Amino acid sequence: MLIDLADAVAATSGGKAAALARLLAAGLPVPPGFVIPTTAYAEAVAGAGTARRQVERAPMPAALVEAISRGLGRLAGPSGEAYVAVRSSATGEDTAEATAAGQHDTFLGVSGADRVAEAVRGCWASLWSERAVEYRRRRAAGPPATAVLVQRLVDADVAGVMFTGEEIRLEASWGLGESVVGGRVTPDSWVVSGDSVVHRSLGGKGERVDRDDARVVTRPVPRADRERFCLADDDVVRLAALGRETARVMGAPQDIEWAIAGGRIWILQARPITTPLPAAPSSPAAGGTALTGTPGSPGVASGPARVVRGPGDFGRVRPGDVLVCRTTDPAWTPLFGVVAAVVTETGGLLSHAAIVAREQGLPAVLAVPDAMTALPDGATVEVDGGTGRIRPA
């Protein structure tokens, strides 16, 4: 009923799990896990329907819960308890055409067969969330089959993302990688060429996400840790070498999520790069009244700045607006089909929001300090996602 991660293939286990299985076969460091295959989802919705509420109420077969219990027993640590990450692995996810980055739910630090089973059902239901349906509509894609990946959670000291190519670009922060991929912090960043770090930039790193027993908690980062890099250059070079090996095994440049715990590097996800990063400027743009941030998605667009503080403001957004906010999370995906450009106060090049902006061809500038107060609501602005510059239009 379950598939060991090492045996995963895309047809039964989805793109995310299949990629990790290839890396495991090559001897690369991937946390162990198992997959609830696409057939389990198909059987669940056959009697329940495919509306989100129907899937959330679908009965979980006792045999599946028992199989999950046995699978967790194989993942248990020295304490005898298995804390896991539960993530979707859909057949249309993490492909060369689309990442579906952040569109389906992830559950971290889950333990116990019943709670893992609930998280599995949550992953199934998220296939029918407003953001996932809108993402597929914009890509003219039908609903995929979905598997669910259950993996031992890495209690990361530092985690982040890496983009391979001629140069390796990395972003990282303290704790679990959720703060980086979710754009909740402005991470530290590096560029590696060959065996040398050729550029580094200190981020904000104001908060960190960690597991606390079976909960995931957000804590402030002490000032001393905010003001120093979370990785030494030697660690960055080591990560870059692993990134190159990952790309070699997968046969193409990769967008990689990774974590370091106790000095050991783990690969958590690897997917093809669907859209290239904008070039990093050699020096910050300057002059006039322009604001500057991290170039996140190339292109130039103008429109009225629309300051959005949360979902309660979504109704104020009109076609052609420039979305200005602290950060975006996957629930904001429908706005990406309306706005002309995106400006955030936090986040990095490799956050899910930046990836989705690039996929949808929207100019985006990230990590613009105080953008929500510096850009008056309704004022017309021009956003240059290639240089990271925002100015009155």
Side-chain angles (χ1 to χ4, degrees):
M1 183 174 289
L2 303 183
I3 298 172
D4 189 273
L5 178 57
D7 300 322
V9 295
T12 59
S13 303
K16 185 182 279 98
L20 292 175
R22 287 181 64 181
L23 298 180
L24 273 171
L28 297 185
V30 175
F34 58 84
V35 180
I36 292 93
T38 55
T39 51
Y41 167 75
E43 292 168 4
V45 301
T50 56
R52 179 163 190 165
R53 289 184 179 177
Q54 291 173 320
V55 177
E56 287 172 338
R57 295 170 182 168
M60 186 66 66
L64 179 56
V65 178
E66 176 57 31
I68 289 172
S69 179
R70 292 193 298 271
L72 292 174
R74 294 192 290 272
L75 298 181
S79 68
E81 189 71 62
Y83 295 96
V84 297
V86 183
R87 300 184 289 164
S88 69
S89 181
T91 53
E93 194 173 13
D94 294 342
T95 69
E97 291 74 38
T99 64
Q103 301 311 307
H104 307 137
D105 288 347
T106 290
F107 302 87
L108 301 177
V110 188
S111 65
D114 289 337
R115 290 178 180 172
V116 170
E118 283 299 311
V120 168
R121 183 159 45 193
C123 289
W124 291 344
S126 70
L127 200 67
W128 300 100
S129 66
E130 180 183 359
R131 65 179 184 261
V133 171
E134 174 65 13
Y135 181 87
R136 294 196 299 269
R137 185 193 68 78
R138 287 185 57 79
R139 301 195 67 84
T146 189
V148 177
L149 171 60
V150 178
Q151 254 182 313
R152 182 185 294 159
L153 182 72
V154 176
D155 286 320
D157 302 312
V158 177
V161 286
M162 170 168 37
F163 214 75
T164 72
E166 289 188 14
E167 293 182 323
I168 306 288
R169 297 173 76 169
L170 297 99
E171 295 185 339
S173 190
W174 304 108
L176 300 177
E178 183 67 17
S179 61
V180 176
V181 298
R184 295 164 61 172
V185 301
T186 299
D188 296 340
S189 63
W190 299 263
V191 179
V192 180
S193 179
D195 294 329
S196 301
V197 175
V198 296
H199 175 79
R200 64 182 67 78
S201 177
L202 187 68
K205 308 189 301 297
E207 61 184 47
R208 61 181 291 161
V209 178
D210 295 284
R211 180 182 67 82
D212 182 0
D213 195 20
R215 300 182 307 143
V216 173
V217 298
T218 301
R219 301 185 176 103
V221 172
R223 178 177 294 276
D225 287 339
R226 294 199 303 269
E227 296 178 349
R228 69 183 179 99
F229 284 97
C230 61
L231 290 173
D233 281 2
D234 286 350
D235 294 323
V236 172
V237 170
R238 194 159 57 106
L239 278 161
L242 183 59
R244 292 190 189 94
E245 179 63 12
T246 300
R248 186 194 67 76
V249 170
M250 301 304 290
Q254 297 289 297
D255 168 3
I256 301 165
E257 293 182 22
W258 52 268
I260 298 178
R264 184 174 183 183
I265 300 174
W266 295 94
I267 298 172
L268 308 181
Q269 181 170 295
R271 56 191 175 199
I273 294 172
T274 56
T275 54
L277 294 177
S282 56
S283 60
T289 58
L291 298 177
T292 60
T294 300
S297 178
V300 179
S302 299
R306 193 63 58 213
V307 177
V308 176
R309 301 185 183 281
D313 290 336
F314 284 7
R316 299 177 53 244
V317 179
R318 297 290 180 265
D321 283 352
V322 171
L323 174 62
V324 181
C325 55
R326 182 177 186 276
T327 187
T328 64
D329 64 41
W332 297 45
T333 297
L335 296 184
F336 284 66
V338 176
V339 300
V342 178
V343 177
T344 68
E345 291 188 340
T346 65
L349 278 170
L350 307 180
S351 66
H352 284 144
I355 292 169
V356 174
R358 290 193 292 272
E359 281 192 349
Q360 299 198 8
L362 291 177
V365 179
L366 314 167
V368 181
D370 303 318
M372 296 172 69
T373 53
L375 298 174
D377 192 76
T380 302
V381 297
E382 180 186 86
V383 178
D384 187 332
T387 65
R389 186 172 179 138
I390 305 150
R391 67 178 115 190

